[in-house]
């Protein structure tokens, strides 16, 4: 089955290259470091010994930060290689570990072609590898197993939807999962789904995202932003996805009395698209990238900046978590809870089901059913400080109760 899989992805190579070009039309960085995606790296010999940590994009990279720092502390004689699949993930890695950071390097993980993963492993010679969340690449896992490189899947999550898809490919998925050294799942439900697919050595370690602490610099920036907003209340729409900004506008979230709406699109390639939408509806807005004082008559601040979401959370009164009003599966609400912010969340949260249900059950978050319900509940919360204070305390308690995954994972990783 793995041979057939390799043949199929080889046949798909022209479409993969075309997809890179297509994505580069909106995000030119996709055409940088292309050779790395096929396992070709600079000639100089990487430092040794080396540990390898793979985080696909922004969310996984930020979640991986406490584990990366803990591994560097546990193994002071080792270097750390961070690999990514998206330019935004690579930029997030640069922000967490700027160029010149001792003992940290980064590159793209190659596509799952046998020759590419062979070149990657031969070049870097990692002592052990760690994959974040749901990165199940058959050829990569097989190559590590064949070379005796321990490979761990950590912070692992598997929604019912993904489980059904992997179940249909069990003849490929099951041997791949069994070749991993261990799987550290976020929750008991995730662990049971992995075991139902035939995985062995599965444990529940919790969610690394609860261990991510906003930096002092981000908190300070958030406080500066809040001061610049004046006396207005602040409603943050965080990590919004395509179509959700229109729902915010149609339901007049920008017209709530005495309130500034901050919109932070999930993907940077959509910043200009959202700005055009605001222009189309004649909404008074400013762009965060302009670094200007927010005018008293501005209805919306467009958060068109990278790496500042923690600052936006610090500055807001209430946070709506995007990707959940429309069926995108939701986004992570843990960062908002860690900063003690009351959360509103839509009906579509299958990608973060465990954390979302936990936050709702703890009284830290409220469900909304659609755009009009979001408008009603946001307005009600903004007008009721006692309720928001109670939700804020619940959010902090919920976040604190679920910390500790980093310690458990560092103890698990062995080589």
């Amino acid at each position: 089955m793995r041979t057939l899989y390799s043949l199929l992805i080889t046949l798909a190579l022209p479409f993969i290259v075309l997809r890179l070009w297509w994505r580069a039309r909106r995000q030119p960085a996709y055409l940088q470091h292309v050779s790395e995606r096929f396992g070709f790296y600079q000639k100089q010999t990487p430092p040794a010994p080396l540990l390898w940590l793979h985080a696909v994009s922004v969310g996984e990279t930020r979640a991986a930060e406490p584990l990366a720092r803990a591994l560097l502390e546990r193994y002071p004689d080792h270097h750390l290689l961070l690999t990514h699949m998206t330019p935004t993930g690579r930029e997030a890695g640069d922000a967490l570990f700027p160029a010149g950071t001792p003992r940290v390097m980064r590159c793209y993980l190659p596509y799952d072609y046998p020759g590419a993963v062979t070149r990657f492993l031969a070049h870097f010679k990692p002592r052990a590898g760690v994959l974040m969340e749901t990165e199940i690449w058959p050829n990569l896992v097989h190559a590590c197993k064949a070379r005796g490189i321990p490979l761990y899947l950590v912070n692992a999550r598997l929604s019912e939807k993904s489980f059904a898809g992997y179940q249909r490919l069990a003849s490929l998925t099951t041997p791949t999962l069994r070749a991993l050294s261990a799987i550290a799942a976020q929750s008991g439900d995730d662990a049971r789904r992995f075991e139902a697919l035939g995985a062995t050595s599965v444990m529940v370690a919790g969610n690394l995202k609860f261990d991510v602490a906003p930096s002092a610099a981000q908190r300070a920036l958030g406080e500066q932003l809040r001061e610049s907003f004046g006396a207005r209340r602040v409603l943050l729409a965080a990590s919004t996805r395509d179509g959700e900004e229109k729902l915010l506008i149609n339901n007049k979230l920008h017209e709530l009395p005495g309130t500034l709406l901050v919109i932070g699109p999930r993907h940077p390639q959509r910043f200009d698209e959202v700005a055009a939408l605001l222009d189309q509806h004649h909404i008074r807005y400013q762009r965060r990238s302009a670094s200007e004082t927010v005018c008293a008559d501005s209805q919306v601040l467009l958060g068109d900046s990278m790496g500042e979401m923690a600052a936006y959370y610090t500055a807001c009164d209430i946070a709506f978590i995007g990707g959940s009003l429309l069926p995108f599966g939701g986004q992570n609400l843990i960062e908002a809870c860690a900063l003690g912010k009351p959360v509103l969340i839509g009906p579509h949260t299958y990608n973060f089901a465990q954390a979302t249900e936990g936050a709702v059950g703890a009284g830290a978050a409220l469900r909304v059913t659609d755009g009009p319900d979001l408008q009603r509940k946001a307005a009600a919360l903004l007008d009721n400080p006692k309720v928001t204070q109670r939700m804020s305390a619940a959010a902090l308690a919920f976040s604190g109760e679920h910390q500790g995954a980093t310690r458990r994972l560092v103890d698990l990783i062995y080589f």
Side-chain angles (χ1 to χ4, degrees), residues 234-302:
V234 179
L235 172 62
L236 169 65
S239 299
T240 53
R241 303 286 296 272
D242 190 11
E244 290 186 320
E245 297 89 2
K246 188 171 184 178
L247 291 176
L248 300 178
I249 293 169
N250 289 346
N251 288 282
K252 312 296 184 183
L253 271 296
H254 59 290
E255 294 184 4
L256 291 174
T259 302
L260 174 68
L261 175 63
V262 179
I263 301 177
R266 172 67 176 170
H267 298 115
Q269 60 268 32
R270 296 191 58 247
F271 291 160
D272 290 341
E273 174 187 326
V274 176
L277 180 67
L278 294 169
D279 282 327
Q280 178 186 339
H281 286 81
H282 308 292
I283 293 171
R284 298 185 302 278
Y285 75 97
Q286 292 176 242
R287 300 181 70 139
R288 164 63 184 153
S289 58
S291 299
E292 298 171 345
T293 301
V294 178
C295 299
D297 65 343
S298 290
Q299 297 169 289
V300 173
L301 175 66
L302 175 57

Side-chain angles (χ1 to χ4, degrees), residues 168-186:
R168 287 192 290 270
L169 299 171
S171 57
L172 178 65
T173 302
T174 299
T176 301
L177 293 176
R178 288 179 175 170
L180 293 165
S181 299
I183 298 174
Q186 292 185 14

